């Protein structure tokens, strides 16, 4: 069976199925608040955005969709998020059972301690983490919304649950037209969301490693070390940059008290890394803040989780290679470990293919619309990295532009896990090697 | 002697000297048409732009500078261009004489057929090529300007010489306020300039290889093959993209006859690769054309020549690595040769450092000015890659922004040749190797 031989190829098909079913459900008349069928492109875009846990929207979630529509969206991004976690687990199983995945993939996932014997416990763990974290966050948010934001218990429960699931899966959908801007002074709303996002954006192998080894740096895998330290560095960089750049911006942090400035800069250092909620008006950001966001979104979060982007490890592997090269070292590496040369090439390839895809999409959308280039670039990076932040142009994109964004969300979500790997499944053992010859570069 | 041990470190110092002398000369009262001393920043900017053969300007060359000033600029970019050629030769000599440069550098330059024994003939060749090409182009341009553009013989001779030297050295300076836009329908002006630029932008090792082996593909070094084939591919890509994107643009190709559209699209496929003349209004380009220009400028021309950017070889080495990775090959390579792993890392490092420098500069300039982000990005890439094209914001940059552009031109010119190499001069033979450990990326 083709599917068994290369089960990795099932993943895109499964995601496509989920998107198709979602499109169908969202096209039903009673999915919209007006009880008129949504245009097929709107349903397709929203379904893809939900399943890929991106959160870009062409229509306003709370006013355009009915309760049925909103529940459908919630289910879609929960399925999407769970699918990613499960896929990561599957790779671990395949690696353990020798389904013919190339050695590299096997080695990597094994090293991340996803082994065949752990199968059931790993699936249980995904479920347990999902239920516990979503439950705790939902209760925290719902309580706060009920007691301090004038909601009825039913409203608060729905709102809390929706934002908790959205945060846990890094989906970025909100039941508020202005995302969480209405809570920009409430640390008890933004705080739990930030915590859920930071935790899940580490990726499943890291959570697994922390569960097995606690916070013992020495016992962590290199993957966990780079992801955790890198996440810390990126959050600090984002926090300081946004705080400094936006401090006086009347459209964002300017009018706020110092405590709120700090809270919202912290929140917006977490969100571009994949979650996509916004407590500030992204369209009001200074250009230099957009640049910082481009970088943070492009890098994204941890591997094999709900986060998107090229991933923290990819970025820091490249960073370490450049540093080793500049320092004239024989090996590239970090934390007293050196990288294999296959890893170096894979990191380079992931980053270059992502950049090429984003630049080509941006160029294409620029050629079919009059939108500002910097906003288009923000949108394409946000879509590819399944972030979901926007300067506000999503609904103004021409239909083919929206199709490009749909393709970016899909490729960004399933691509870095499967497309490159699937393409590379052919055997690597060619007997003849060409002679080596080098060239002058730079 | 420190200088003898690491003669590579002399290059930045020599360039700084030339820039300082140029700044001094351009600060003299009679260097300006008004006979009042130019502001020091203006003189510094212009001198750096000329020595680095960039061509970005903060004042209008023909109206602001006197004949003395213009001659000074001409001499500066001729010295700059010759300096680069000589530096490339120097590396060849050092490699042959074992001055302690790291093996990699030595190997590369040797393979490019710059060997110690060739020293004198190589220097002669640089001089001969310079004089012959500049002479032929100058005569062609001057004749055309005299006979068909109503200039006196003296005016035509000066104009022809200035543009020929500027084109040969990829400097991009012009004695016309609108660069060569006045000749946009004259293939006998644009043609010779294009030819000179394409030839010299190949870089000296390629010219040397062609001189030694003619147009025999089989006998060419891998460096020459990649540079020539890559240049062809990039020119074709640029030509088609610009022709299609600008065909109806009323600010550029729109009003032209078909022949002129083709000529100017061809001209502007050559110029962003390093030369920086413009026959069209760059500020009027569509956004998608700007994107194409970003890419072409960033890549630049051939190594060890007057071209800037990360270089054609660097780009195609990375391209080949990604392609090999996607196809699941054991080795990365092209044209039946495989790359060494040091080459792969060096290419990655050059590209990543260039991108980081450009992004950081763009972010900084965005934070101190209200200029459009897309124009700032165009300017920083143009400066780093020593291209000299501009959407027209150079003179509007705040003083610290101009200093950043000056730094980019300098680093872009001498950096890719020397800075990284100088940093890497420390020995690579460390006895202890850390154990290998890999991570999940993407
Ligand atoms: K998201
Ligand atoms: K130039």
């Amino acid at each position: 069976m083709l599917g068994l031989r290369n089960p990795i190829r099932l993943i895109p098909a499964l995601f496509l199925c989920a998107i198709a079913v979602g499109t169908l459900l969202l096209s039903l008349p009673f999915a919209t608040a007006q009880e008129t069928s949504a245009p097929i492109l709107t349903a397709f875009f929203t379904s893809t955005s939900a399943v890929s846990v991106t959160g870009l929207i062409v229509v306003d979630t709370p006013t355009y969709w009915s309760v049925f529509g909103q529940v459908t969206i919630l289910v879609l991004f929960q399925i999407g998020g769970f699918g990613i976690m499960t896929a990561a687990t599957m790779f671990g199983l395949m690696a353990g059972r020798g389904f013919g995945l190339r050695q590299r993939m096997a080695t990597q996932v094994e090293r991340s301690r996803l082994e065949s014997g752990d199968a059931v416990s790993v699936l249980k763990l995904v479920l347990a983490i999902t239920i516990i974290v979503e439950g705790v966050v939902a209760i925290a948010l719902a309580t706060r919304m009920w007691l301090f934001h004038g909601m009825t218990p039913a409203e608060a429960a729905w709102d809390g649950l929706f934002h908790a699931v959205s945060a846990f899966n890094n989906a970025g959908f909100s039941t508020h037209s202005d995302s969480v801007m209405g809570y920009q002074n409430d640390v008890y709303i933004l705080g739990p969301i930030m915590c859920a996002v930071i935790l899940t954006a580490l990726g499943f192998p890291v959570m697994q490693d922390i569960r097995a080894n606690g916070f013992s740096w020495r016992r962590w895998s290199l993957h966990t070390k780079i992801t955790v330290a890198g996440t810390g560095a990126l959050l600090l960089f984002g926090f300081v940059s946004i705080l400094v750049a936006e401090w006086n911006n009347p459209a964002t942090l300017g009018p706020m008290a110092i405590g709120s400035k700090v809270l919202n800069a912290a929140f917006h250092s977490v969100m571009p890394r994949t979650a996509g909620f916004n407590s500030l008006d992204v369209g009001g950001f200074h250009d230099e803040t957009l640049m910082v966001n481009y970088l943070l979104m492009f890098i994204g979060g941890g591997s094999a989780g709900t986060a998107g982007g090229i991933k923290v490890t990819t970025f820091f592997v490249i960073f370490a290679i450049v540093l080793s090269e500049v320092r004239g070292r024989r090996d590239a590496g970090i934390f007293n470990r050196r990288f294999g040369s296959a890893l170096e090439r894979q990191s380079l390839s992931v980053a270059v293919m992502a950049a090429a895809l984003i630049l080509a999409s941006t160029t294409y959308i620029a050629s079919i619309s009059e939108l500002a280039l910097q906003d288009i670039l923000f949108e394409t990076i946000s879509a590819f990295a399944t972030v979901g932040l926007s300067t506000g142009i999503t609904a103004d994109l021409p239909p083919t532009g929206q199709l490009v964004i749909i393709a970016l969300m899909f490729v960004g979500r399933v691509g870095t896990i499967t497309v490159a790997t699937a393409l590379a499944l052919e055997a690597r053992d060619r007997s003849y090697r060409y002679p080596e010859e080098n060239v002058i570069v730079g």
Side-chain angles (χ1 to χ4, degrees), chain A:
Chain A
M1 281 167 66
L2 186 71
L4 262 183
R5 194 162 157 271
N6 285 337
I8 208 170
R9 296 201 174 153
L10 278 178
I11 311 274
L14 288 172
F15 270 86
L16 279 178
C17 275
I19 290 170
V21 172
T23 305
L24 209 73
L25 291 175
L26 291 175
S27 301
L28 296 173
F30 50 89
T32 69
Q34 303 288 319
E35 307 238 330
T36 54
S37 292
I40 185 77
L41 182 59
T42 301
F44 185 29
F45 191 100
T46 306
S47 177
T48 308
S49 180
V51 173
S52 66
V53 294
T54 304
L56 286 173
I57 47 175
V58 285
V59 291
D60 183 40
T61 309
T63 57
Y64 186 87
W65 302 108
S66 65
V67 171
F68 172 80
Q70 293 178 40
V71 170
T72 302
I73 291 170
L74 174 77
V75 171
L76 288 174
F77 62 66
Q78 176 64 77
I79 287 176
F82 194 80
I84 299 292
M85 296 272 191
T86 312
T89 313
M90 240 179 78
F91 289 152
L93 297 183
M94 288 187 298
R97 288 188 184 153
F99 270 117
L101 272 185
R102 54 179 174 161
Q103 184 57 27
R104 182 197 316 174
M105 194 71 199
T107 312
Q108 283 170 1
V109 184
E110 262 178 0
R111 281 181 187 276
S112 309
R113 292 144 206 238
L114 292 174
E115 276 150 29
S116 168
D118 292 330
V120 179
S121 78
V122 154
L123 270 173
K124 274 190 192 158
L125 182 65
V126 175
L127 258 176
I129 293 183
T130 305
I131 292 169
I132 292 170
V133 177
E134 287 183 358
V136 169
V137 175
I139 290 168
L141 295 180
T143 310
R144 186 74 186 173
M145 284 165 174
W146 172 43
L147 296 177
F148 291 86
H149 293 281
M151 290 189 184
T152 67
E155 284 171 349
W158 168 242
D159 237 51
L161 178 70
F162 193 95
H163 285 93
V165 177
S166 182
F168 179 83
N169 292 289
N170 284 286
F173 279 90
S174 174
T175 47
H176 301 292
S177 304
D178 61 353
S179 188
V180 293
M181 286 176 65
Y183 306 110
Q184 62 185 191
N185 297 312
D186 191 344
V187 69
Y188 295 100
I189 297 289
L190 300 189
I193 291 177
M194 282 166 70
C195 289
V197 166
I198 292 174
L199 174 72
T200 55
L202 291 172
F204 187 73
V206 173
M207 287 192 252
Q208 168 83 334
D209 201 1
I210 292 176
R211 173 171 161 270
N213 297 301
F215 290 89
S216 159
W217 177 267
R218 201 178 45 75
R219 294 175 64 197
W220 278 356
S221 68
L222 183 62
H223 180 81
T224 301
K225 286 178 185 166
I226 295 180
T227 304
V228 172
T231 295
L234 291 172
L235 289 178
L236 186 65
F237 165 74
F239 171 67
V240 173
S241 308
I242 293 169
L243 193 64
V244 170
E246 298 293 317
W247 188 268
N248 283 318
N249 185 346
T252 59
L253 299 183
M256 293 181 178
I258 288 182
S260 289
K261 283 184 208 263
V262 169
L263 173 63
N264 285 275
F267 191 77
H268 268 272
S269 74
V270 175
M271 293 307 134
R273 298 192 48 255
T274 205
F277 292 106
N278 59 295
S279 66
L280 300 170
D281 175 17
V282 174
F285 276 157
H286 283 314
D287 286 353
E288 57 271 29
T289 311
L290 292 185
M291 291 291 295
V292 170
N293 271 269
Y294 293 156
L295 181 66
L296 291 176
M297 292 197 297
F298 184 72
I299 298 172
S303 299
T306 47
I310 64 167
K311 304 301 172 341
V312 173
T313 40
T314 311
F315 178 77
F316 282 99
V317 165
I318 292 174
F319 185 83
I321 294 171
V322 174
L323 201 67
S324 303
E325 188 63 20
V326 168
R327 296 169 70 195
R329 299 279 187 251
R330 181 171 59 172
D331 299 319
I334 195 169
F335 299 139
N336 297 345
R337 292 287 182 278
R338 67 184 159 88
F339 305 136
S341 68
L343 174 66
E344 298 182 13
R345 279 195 208 157
Q346 197 182 14
S347 303
L348 170 66
S349 300
V350 167
V352 168
M353 286 193 290
L357 205 57
I358 288 165
L359 294 182
S361 308
T362 303
T363 307
Y364 173 71
I365 294 177
S367 76
I368 57 161
S369 74
E370 294 300 313
L371 298 163
L373 195 56
Q374 64 195 61
D375 294 336
I376 300 172
L377 182 60
F378 196 98
E379 198 80 6
T380 55
I381 302 179
S382 179
F384 174 80
T386 66
V387 173
L389 291 175
S390 173
T391 56
I393 63 165
T394 322
D396 303 328
L397 289 166
T400 51
Q402 294 188 5
L403 286 173
V404 169
I405 296 294
I406 287 172
L408 281 173
M409 293 191 289
F410 182 75
V411 172
R413 183 66 280 173
V414 303
T416 43
I417 299 186
T418 58
V419 172
T421 313
L423 283 169
L425 277 176
E426 45 195 277
R428 275 186 179 249
D429 49 328
R430 299 187 321 136
S431 50
Y432 179 70
R433 301 186 81 183
Y434 288 118
E436 181 176 326
E437 179 170 351
N438 291 310
V439 301
I440 311 175
V441 296

